[in-house]
Amino acid sequence: MTPPAETTAPETTALEAELREIAGSVPDPELPVLSLAELGVLRGLHVLGSGRVEVELTPTYTGCPAVEAMSADVERALREHGVAEVTVRTVLSPPWTTDAITAEGRRKLAEFGIAPPRPGAGASGDGGGPVAVDLAIRCPHCGSTDTTLLSRFSSTACKALRRCASCREPFDHFKELL
Amino acid sequence: MSAPRTAVLALGDDALVLSHRLGEWAGNAPVLEEEVALANIALDLLGQARTLLSMAGDEDELAYLREERAFTNVQLVEQPNGDFAHTIARQLYFSTYQELLYERLADGGTGDTELTALAAKAVKEVAYHRDHAEHWTLRLGDGTEVSHSRMRDALDGLWRYTGELFRPVEGLDVDWAGLDEEWARRITTVLERATLTVPGGPRSSPWAAGAGRQGVHTEPFGRMLAEMQHLHRSHPGASW
């Protein structure tokens, strides 16, 4: 079985909380309306010693090309805040799910014209994996639920392309990954 | 505990080679949505390949500087794209296998935490690839006379490469016979729904010997590698 991969004994110091706030507020390179904290990809931040910080990021998808840009952005943000040495580590376990996107993050996605993923707490029918995308998904432009799937993949691996039958606008849907 | 090298190379090579093949559709796919879909699937596979190959060594050296005989991917993934039906048939056979295998590895089939973590993450991506392949198999099989016959030809043509998927990979503690049975059950279900029949021919070629896992590859693989490695070999160490 997968051993618990949670970071050990997170007795977070005030400095760590402050730095985590800074790292977490870095915008996602591909969805700049969301911060890394809202996307739920910032897994941890540890001060290892004076001026040395380790950050843990998790990719949304294994091949997500944004991870490298995220690492560089986090490193820059922390350096600007006086941290001399930043190490960014990519962690895979436990796998990221769309449930890691915060409520505020979902609201911003919809505002940006991307239908947010539906929450899946306990709703994932057959043991993980993406759920079927044919349940009602609301058009982020006009609010209609009369929308159809155009393509299971869209501008990035994490989105599907849909069209609204009411306002006829196509839109991206951040597809559920649970 | 670190992952057995033979195992991560085998799985990493499968993902890398199929990723490259799917990437060849860029600019050539029948419709824009499929262009995007195939590129996204390729990207998922490339991410898996990078993680897996990095467990065995330097990812760039392994991808770009090994000779053909050092690659241990199954022959199925190196088969040329052919027409769209061939690509879908290859996707159906492979993603069904990969999903079942990763499910087992995610359950700790190797006892290796790095590989377990990758499998647990990748299985979700692969489930979506399999879903994509199934939808197209249904659409082509249960479509027009032409799409049906093309899909049938593709399934028949690639069938001989499916036996190799279930040869044990050193270092992976998996019930391969059980995996094969479950794979056959799932493929049969999809093909029947698509008004197609499960191909009847042999599932390996007599000349295949130990085949891909032992570094024996089919003729098109050399040309694919030449194209994939050419830039890196011509400009060693280049970056942008």
Side-chain angles (χ1 to χ4, degrees):
Chain A
M1 290 309 297
T2 313
E6 267 73 31
T7 49
T8 43
E11 46 199 69
T12 315
T13 64
L15 177 61
E16 281 176 336
E18 188 191 335
L19 294 176
R20 191 174 170 134
E21 184 82 29
I22 291 162
S25 61
V26 167
D28 176 86
E30 285 187 24
L31 290 166
V33 285
L34 288 193
S35 70
L36 298 187
E38 286 161 348
L39 186 61
V41 296
L42 180 64
R43 279 280 166 83
L45 185 147
H46 314 285
V47 174
L48 302 176
S50 138
R52 281 173 54 228
V53 166
E54 185 189 72
V55 181
E56 289 171 345
L57 289 180
T58 193
T60 53
Y61 283 70
T62 320
C64 181
V67 173
E68 276 156 38
M70 282 180 197
S71 304
D73 292 349
V74 165
E75 197 176 322
R76 192 177 321 115
L78 291 174
R79 277 181 195 280
E80 278 168 13
H81 202 74
V83 180
E85 199 186 322
V86 181
T87 320
V88 181
R89 224 159 54 83
T90 304
V91 293
L92 296 181
S93 183
W96 179 86
T97 74
T98 40
D99 279 353
I101 302 177
T102 63
E104 178 63 5
R106 282 163 205 271
R107 194 191 61 74
K108 286 186 180 173
L109 278 175
E111 205 177 88
F112 191 59
I114 298 171
R118 289 155 298 176
S124 160
D126 52 359
V131 298
V133 278
D134 47 9
L135 302 170
I137 291 159
R138 197 171 285 280
C139 168
H141 305 298
C142 74
S144 166
T145 53
D146 189 8
T147 66
T148 53
L149 180 69
L150 288 181
S151 171
R152 314 179 91 70
F153 294 88
S154 187
S155 53
T156 62
C158 55
K159 291 184 235 117
L161 186 64
R162 298 186 73 85
R163 181 168 50 207
C164 174
S166 299
C167 72
R168 310 298 296 164
E169 285 291 325
F171 64 91
D172 267 342
H173 167 228
F174 204 121
K175 62 201 180 198
E176 293 77 16
L177 185 72
L178 302 168
Chain B
M1 184 178 155
S2 67
R5 188 179 154 87
T6 43
V8 292
L9 275 181
L11 303 186
D13 286 348
D14 283 352
L16 175 70
V17 171
L18 186 57
S19 168
H20 191 83
R21 279 295 187 211
L22 291 173
E24 291 172 358
W25 274 108
N28 296 302
V31 288
L32 184 62
E33 287 79 5
E34 272 316 295
E35 175 115 0
V36 171
L38 295 172
N40 270 311
I41 294 171
L43 183 62
D44 283 345
L45 290 166
L46 187 62
Q48 295 164 19
R50 293 186 61 185
T51 309
L52 288 160
L53 294 181
S54 296
M55 291 180 206
D58 180 274
E59 53 174 331
D60 285 340
E61 266 178 41
L62 288 168
Y64 296 124
L65 298 175
R66 272 183 301 161
E67 301 291 332
E68 180 180 336
R69 291 296 298 263
F71 278 81
T72 55
N73 53 281
V74 288
Q75 293 180 347
L76 175 65
V77 296
E78 73 203 29
Q79 296 312 305
N81 287 335
D83 63 10
F84 188 66
H86 270 84
T87 291
I88 293 302
R90 194 183 58 199
Q91 282 303 104
L92 180 72
Y93 289 158
F94 186 75
S95 60
T96 304
Y97 155 79
Q98 202 188 21
E99 185 187 11
L100 290 169
L101 179 60
Y102 280 175
E103 269 173 14
R104 282 155 179 76
L105 298 181
D107 268 346
T110 61
D112 172 76
T113 53
E114 234 184 327
L115 184 54
T116 306
L118 183 270
K121 182 156 186 69
V123 72
K124 302 178 182 207
E125 298 163 359
V126 175
Y128 213 77
H129 305 170
R130 193 253 311 141
D131 189 51
H132 170 264
E134 283 185 4
H135 273 83
W136 271 109
T137 303
L138 295 177
R139 215 166 140 182
L140 296 175
D142 198 10
T144 65
E145 224 170 274
V146 174
S147 73
H148 180 91
S149 75
R150 284 192 180 218
M151 194 64 214
R152 189 195 54 219
D153 290 350
L155 290 162
D156 288 350
L158 292 170
W159 186 246
R160 78 187 68 157
Y161 300 107
T162 59
E164 191 193 355
L165 301 173
F166 307 99
R167 298 231 175 101
V169 174
E170 194 191 323
L172 297 184
D173 180 20
V174 168
D175 168 17
W176 295 95
L179 191 72
D180 193 357
E181 259 171 50
E182 179 62 16
W183 180 87
R185 203 183 58 73
R186 292 196 186 187
I187 295 293
T188 305
T189 306
V190 177
L191 296 190
E192 281 174 358
R193 279 180 62 209
T195 71
L196 293 156
T197 45
V198 178
R203 292 180 65 197
S204 64
S205 322
W207 47 264
R213 295 283 187 234
Q214 268 69 50
V216 179
H217 295 284
T218 55
E219 190 183 343
F221 187 52
R223 287 195 289 272
M224 193 210 93
L225 269 192
E227 192 174 297
M228 187 178 92
Q229 298 185 332
H230 150 257
L231 192 70
H232 189 90
R233 286 178 185 263
S234 304
H235 304 276
S239 65
W240 69 79

